[in-house]
Amino acid sequence: MAGMASSTFTPSFCFRSFTVAASNKASSSSSSSSSSSPAAFKPLKLPLFWPWQKVKMGPLSVSPMGFGTWAWGNQLLWGYQESMDAELQQIFNLAVENGINLFDTADSYGTGRLNGQSEKLLGKFIRESQEKNDIVIATKFAAYPWRLTPGQFVKACKASLDRMQIEKIGIGQLHWSTANYAPLQEMALWDGLVAMYDQGLVQAVGVSNYGPKQLVKIHDYLKDRGVPLCSAQVQFSLLSLGDEQLETKKICDSLGIRLIAYSPLGLGMLTGKYSPSKLPSGPRGLLFRQILPGLEPLLSTLGNIAEKRRKTIPQVAINWCISKGTIPIPGAKTLKQAQENLGALGWRLTQEESNLLEDGARASTGRMIQNVFQTR
């Protein structure tokens, strides 16, 4: 299954100028045409980037990049406010119009009064979308300490279905492993994945934050129960390039598991927008202060390739993930960020460029901290 990572992509074409020109033409002639035509001229709506080939993920066909929705409900790290919802819906619509059909979320994205907010918003956006039949939702179910039985995990899945008001989830994922601190709970949650699959609540199952050893264990366990493991979601970026990361990718390829790369921009450190003297507010600022000073070799290489390619630094960083055969799921809180993410598609870094980026990553002393829930 190693070959599943190699997909062809059609060239990227931007049609914004065409649409703007058509809009201007429509507005300039509106006064003369309105009296003779019952409907005003509508410009042909074209995608920002030409549609590209889907890739296989278990039984599903998904876009080679998805959109992550952690920020669609998280106040502490991402400063979410309900006033953002209108723009978030525009982001969703823009993504779908440009061929994105994979959206990643979790039942823990939004706590307290905003419990399940990300899932609720996605459900609302899907109901109002004209492409709802093609959309794949990958949601993660938290391994909360009170979820101790398979039945409780199935109940969590049904709660997510209720929040989104959809009939079936695309990929139901175990958000993290409890093997390091509650191995008995881990087995119950694995059985919960089997039960939600057998009951037809999800089309496929996946895991998140699983290292190489535990990934092989759950793959074999599920296989014995007749349930294929569709995906493994891990922190994967030039900022977290390491032996364990590459070993996980190798195992995924050998077992036919699709690797979903979360934090492909290192929480924003690989955007080129920040420096030791220009930090984001909140907890991210504290993290960036520790890591950014050691990223000069990597950021410099990203900048050089971006300039030669006439791309942006984030687009190059995301494209590297795609070139490695993963499906990155960058987040977006603004339309500008969403448009920038889309610019990572429709082209491919050369092997030489990928090597230069990886050399820059290894020459950098800054490293992304590992997720506390990540297992070996």
Side-chain angles (χ1 to χ4, degrees), residues 317-348:
I318 294 170
N319 191 274
W320 176 84
C321 293
I322 297 171
S323 298
K324 299 300 284 188
T326 75
I327 298 179
I329 49 170
K333 291 196 302 179
T334 67
L335 272 170
K336 182 179 179 181
Q337 290 172 347
Q339 289 170 341
E340 189 162 49
N341 290 350
L342 290 169
L345 291 158
W347 58 285
R348 186 69 75 93

Side-chain angles (χ1 to χ4, degrees), residues 112-161:
R113 180 179 60 83
L114 297 171
N115 181 52
Q117 182 73 353
S118 176
E119 290 183 331
K120 291 175 185 175
L121 287 174
L122 271 175
K124 175 180 179 291
F125 300 161
I126 291 170
R127 289 192 298 276
E128 297 174 6
S129 169
Q130 304 199 356
E131 307 288 340
K132 61 187 71 169
N133 293 329
D134 188 42
I135 293 170
V136 175
I137 296 297
T139 195
K140 299 181 288 294
F141 310 112
Y144 291 135
W146 56 85
R147 291 176 176 170
L148 297 171
T149 67
Q152 288 171 321
F153 217 47
V154 170
K155 185 177 178 181
C157 179
K158 290 179 177 178
S160 290
L161 285 167

Side-chain angles (χ1 to χ4, degrees), residues 302-361:
L302 279 166
N304 290 337
I305 292 175
E307 184 177 1
K308 290 176 182 176
R309 283 281 193 162
R310 296 186 179 180
K311 301 293 180 182
T312 66
I313 288 177
Q315 287 167 354
V316 173
I318 294 170
N319 191 274
W320 176 84
C321 293
I322 297 171
S323 298
K324 299 300 284 188
T326 75
I327 298 179
I329 49 170
K333 291 196 302 179
T334 67
L335 272 170
K336 182 179 179 181
Q337 290 172 347
Q339 289 170 341
E340 189 162 49
N341 290 350
L342 290 169
L345 291 158
W347 58 285
R348 186 69 75 93
L349 288 164
T350 65
Q351 186 60 54
E352 181 183 4
E353 288 170 330
S354 290
N355 291 342
L356 286 172
L357 288 168
E358 290 163 30
D359 289 343

Side-chain angles (χ1 to χ4, degrees), residues 86-316:
E87 186 166 12
L88 295 180
Q89 182 156 19
Q90 291 179 319
I91 290 169
F92 176 88
N93 293 339
L94 178 72
V96 171
E97 287 164 7
N98 284 276
I100 300 296
N101 75 329
L102 175 65
F103 292 87
D104 180 81
T105 184
D107 62 2
S108 61
Y109 290 174
T111 56
R113 180 179 60 83
L114 297 171
N115 181 52
Q117 182 73 353
S118 176
E119 290 183 331
K120 291 175 185 175
L121 287 174
L122 271 175
K124 175 180 179 291
F125 300 161
I126 291 170
R127 289 192 298 276
E128 297 174 6
S129 169
Q130 304 199 356
E131 307 288 340
K132 61 187 71 169
N133 293 329
D134 188 42
I135 293 170
V136 175
I137 296 297
T139 195
K140 299 181 288 294
F141 310 112
Y144 291 135
W146 56 85
R147 291 176 176 170
L148 297 171
T149 67
Q152 288 171 321
F153 217 47
V154 170
K155 185 177 178 181
C157 179
K158 290 179 177 178
S160 290
L161 285 167
D162 288 343
R163 277 191 290 271
M164 291 185 278
Q165 295 182 37
I166 58 177
E167 294 181 4
K168 185 178 288 192
I169 289 165
I171 309 171
Q173 306 165 95
L174 175 52
H175 204 153
W176 66 83
S177 169
T178 66
N180 290 344
Y181 60 91
L184 293 179
Q185 182 187 13
E186 174 95 339
M187 298 307 296
L189 299 182
W190 289 5
D191 287 338
L193 287 175
V194 172
M196 63 179 71
Y197 180 83
D198 287 345
Q199 292 179 31
L201 303 176
V202 301
Q203 290 178 267
V205 300
V207 293
S208 180
N209 296 307
Y210 269 63
K213 292 181 180 178
Q214 202 66 8
L215 181 60
V216 171
K217 288 180 183 178
I218 189 171
H219 168 271
D220 293 346
Y221 184 86
L222 293 175
K223 184 178 179 181
D224 288 343
R225 300 291 299 275
V227 179
L229 183 60
C230 163
S231 62
Q233 185 175 150
V234 296
Q235 188 169 252
F236 192 100
S237 75
L238 284 162
L239 187 53
S240 54
L241 188 63
D243 292 341
E244 187 168 307
Q245 180 190 42
L246 297 177
E247 184 183 354
T248 299
K249 178 62 172 62
K250 185 177 179 180
I251 288 171
C252 284
D253 289 345
S254 67
L255 297 177
I257 302 167
R258 179 65 70 172
L259 193 147
I260 300 174
Y262 76 76
S263 291
L265 297 176
L267 299 180
M269 276 182 277
L270 297 184
T271 62
K273 299 171 184 175
Y274 300 103
S275 68
S277 60
K278 183 185 177 184
L279 301 170
S281 59
R284 282 197 305 153
L286 299 175
L287 181 66
F288 283 30
R289 183 175 287 110
Q290 299 174 41
I291 299 174
L292 270 175
L295 293 186
E296 178 54 36
L298 175 56
L299 291 174
S300 177
T301 306
L302 279 166
N304 290 337
I305 292 175
E307 184 177 1
K308 290 176 182 176
R309 283 281 193 162
R310 296 186 179 180
K311 301 293 180 182
T312 66
I313 288 177
Q315 287 167 354
V316 173

